[in-house]
Amino acid sequence: MSTTAAVPSPVHPVDEVPPVRQLAAFGLQHVLAMYAGAVAVPLIVGGAMKLSPADLAYLITADLLVCGVATLIQCVGFWRFGVRLPIMQGCTFAAVSPMVLIGTTGGGLPAIYGSVIVAGLAIMLLAPVFGKLLRFFPPLVTGTVILIIGVSLLPVAGNWAAGGAGAKDFGEPKNLALAAFVLAVVVGVQRFAPAYLARIAVLIGVAVGLAVAVPFGFTDFSGVGDADWLGISTPFHFGTPTFKASAIVSMLVVALVTMTETTGDLIAVGEMTGRKVEPGPLSDGLRADGLSTVLGGVFNTFPYTAYAQNVGLVGMTRVRSRWVVAAAGGILVLLGLLPKLGAVVAAVPAPVLGGAGLVMFGTVAASGLRTLATVDFKGNNNLTVVAVSVAVGVLPVGVPTIYEKFPDWFQTVMNSGISAGCLTAIVLNLLFNHLPAKAGPGSPAVKAA
């Protein structure tokens, strides 16, 4: 109707609103891509604290609800909150180790939530400072960071493909065969299906994989019957937050790590969607992270950050509309309010997600290479910047226990391959391309982004 008249107007693909049917399908695809990661954080923290099954279920539904609200804040935005790009929000894994430590030895869930609220407020205050640092993220740095994001996510997909970390049948050929089948379906749909189906290749792959998984006994729907129909997270369900200095300090370190990771993710999505992230929108995106983290502390969940899994999905499907991811946020809110629905999504077997994850996370790495292709590597030290940064970033991914003898704060920063690689890339770019020591005709500085 009015859509034909609107075609000539210069609406950026990020701001386009697809038809409702497509919004639902594309949004569900994003939810499936991040669901396992989203529920993993409350499962790990709650499991380490030996919470009851009822409390664990409460943590998960609270997490899904705030994931949805955080995603809506980031995509739709209001005032100075939200980058207004297709960014999915979820609990950060960087906070897992400190939270387990606080929860088991330093005051339980109230102490965790007190430190999370303070960290969220700190992120909101520091957001403008990070916005001003954008000039230190030229294509050399951003391409390297995007490459590291993709490579560091691949083991996650590998664990899913093998059956899920800790599974009794981990690595069984049947698991890898199912993952390979899903991978083949996703690639086949992308190559041979019409364009409108190719855009939901991951969703089709997961649906076909699930259809095959059911008769072969991969699925367990027992949790669906046990789940409640309605679940509402009330503020401070586990008690009034307590503010302990040691817990707050460790969570502030996590805040700096998540801000670094989110900056990399926002820049990556900006590159993929053709809407370059400027200092103002970057600050707005980080401010939304901070607000979501405060909401996490109030509504019984954890710190929030941009999810790199979904960055890969944006790059792979080339669906750039932020309203698609906003629809995914709406679906997450529903899952948080309707635990039974959440239990159905949770029943998707890990190998099915693994097959789809391999394509998505590989796409992120490939996008990093595409950005690096625009960088000049002749007559300068840019290759060294990439080489060392990727090495430092991949180190904790390949050898997870490499820093276990170091202090907790150091582990929090360096165990995240994304933050370790990002910091290394920024420092080396400054060293080789901004310090005047070797300035001359043979060492051109990289043009700022």
Side-chain angles (χ1 to χ4, degrees):
M1 291 152 294
S2 61
T3 46
T4 48
V7 169
S9 68
V11 177
H12 195 282
V14 166
D15 298 318
E16 283 178 355
V17 183
V20 173
R21 191 176 68 251
Q22 288 184 8
L23 273 178
F26 294 157
L28 181 58
Q29 193 167 235
H30 272 282
V31 170
L32 290 169
M34 61 81 72
Y35 190 91
V39 300
V41 174
L43 278 174
I44 295 166
V45 175
M49 293 177 65
K50 298 183 170 48
L51 296 183
S52 68
D55 282 346
L56 266 180
Y58 193 97
L59 278 185
I60 290 168
T61 52
D63 174 34
L64 292 172
L65 177 67
V66 182
C67 272
V69 172
T71 299
L72 287 167
I73 293 170
Q74 195 66 277
C75 296
V76 179
F78 69 92
W79 191 52
R80 299 304 307 276
F81 292 86
V83 73
R84 295 167 176 81
L85 282 172
I87 291 283
M88 202 86 183
Q89 297 285 104
C91 277
T92 174
F93 282 86
V96 169
S97 297
M99 288 193 302
V100 167
L101 202 65
I102 296 164
T104 52
T105 64
L109 284 171
I112 291 177
Y113 295 137
S115 64
V116 167
I117 290 168
V118 173
L121 293 170
I123 291 170
M124 284 195 276
L125 289 171
L126 289 172
V129 178
F130 260 70
K132 291 188 175 75
L133 299 178
L134 200 58
R135 64 195 182 90
F136 298 117
F137 286 85
L140 174 65
V141 173
T142 58
T144 304
V145 171
I146 297 166
L147 174 60
I148 292 167
I149 290 171
V151 172
S152 62
L153 282 171
L154 283 170
V156 175
N159 276 321
W160 289 347
K168 288 177 186 168
D169 60 350
F170 187 86
E172 289 279 344
K174 64 173 188 175
N175 290 337
L176 293 165
L178 179 57
F181 171 71
V182 172
L183 176 61
V185 170
V186 172
V187 172
V189 169
Q190 276 215 299
R191 173 64 182 85
F192 299 109
Y196 70 93
L197 284 178
R199 290 180 164 188
I200 53 167
V202 169
L203 185 59
I204 292 170
V206 170
V208 173
L210 188 57
V212 170
V214 172
F216 284 97
F218 281 93
T219 48
D220 177 13
F221 288 103
S222 60
V224 179
D226 299 337
D228 295 327
W229 279 106
L230 189 66
I232 297 173
S233 180
T234 52
F236 309 128
H237 174 80
F238 294 100
T240 308
T242 56
F243 300 92
K244 294 185 178 292
S246 58
I248 289 168
V249 169
S250 63
M251 206 54 69
L252 287 175
V253 174
V254 169
L256 291 173
V257 172
T258 57
M259 290 180 85
T260 307
E261 289 185 358
T262 296
T263 299
D265 289 332
L266 297 187
I267 291 169
V269 171
E271 297 262 346
M272 289 175 181
T273 56
R275 176 173 279 177
K276 199 170 153 191
V277 175
E278 302 291 346
L282 174 61
S283 299
D284 295 347
L286 291 169
R287 213 175 275 114
D289 259 16
L291 176 60
S292 304
T293 298
V294 171
L295 289 175
V298 172
F299 285 95
N300 320 296
T301 175
F302 306 114
Y304 285 84
T305 187
Y307 255 30
Q309 291 93 312
N310 299 83
V311 175
L313 192 54
V314 171
M316 191 192 124
T317 60
R318 295 189 286 282
V319 176
R320 297 185 274 177
S321 170
R322 62 191 171 107
W323 297 103
V324 162
V325 180
I331 293 170
L332 282 171
V333 169
L334 275 179
L335 293 177
L337 295 173
L338 305 171
K340 206 172 273 292
L341 201 57
V344 172
V345 177
V348 176
V352 172
L353 295 173
L358 286 169
V359 193
M360 292 188 304
F361 305 161
T363 302
V364 179
S367 299
L369 292 175
R370 186 175 62 193
T371 302
L372 286 173
T374 65
V375 175
D376 180 16
F377 286 100
K378 290 177 185 166
N380 54 37
N381 295 292
N382 288 343
L383 203 60
T384 304
V385 175
V386 177
V388 177
S389 303
V390 171
V392 172
V394 172
L395 210 53
V397 177
V399 192
T401 55
I402 190 165
Y403 299 122
E404 66 177 14
K405 302 277 195 260
F406 285 75
D408 290 339
W409 67 266
F410 186 89
Q411 289 186 50
T412 302
V413 176
M414 298 303 288
N415 273 342
S416 163
I418 297 169
S419 67
C422 185
L423 292 171
T424 306
I426 292 167
V427 169
L428 290 180
N429 178 53
L430 286 172
L431 181 67
F432 285 117
N433 295 312
H434 287 269
L435 291 182
K438 282 179 71 177
S443 59
V446 179
K447 292 178 179 64

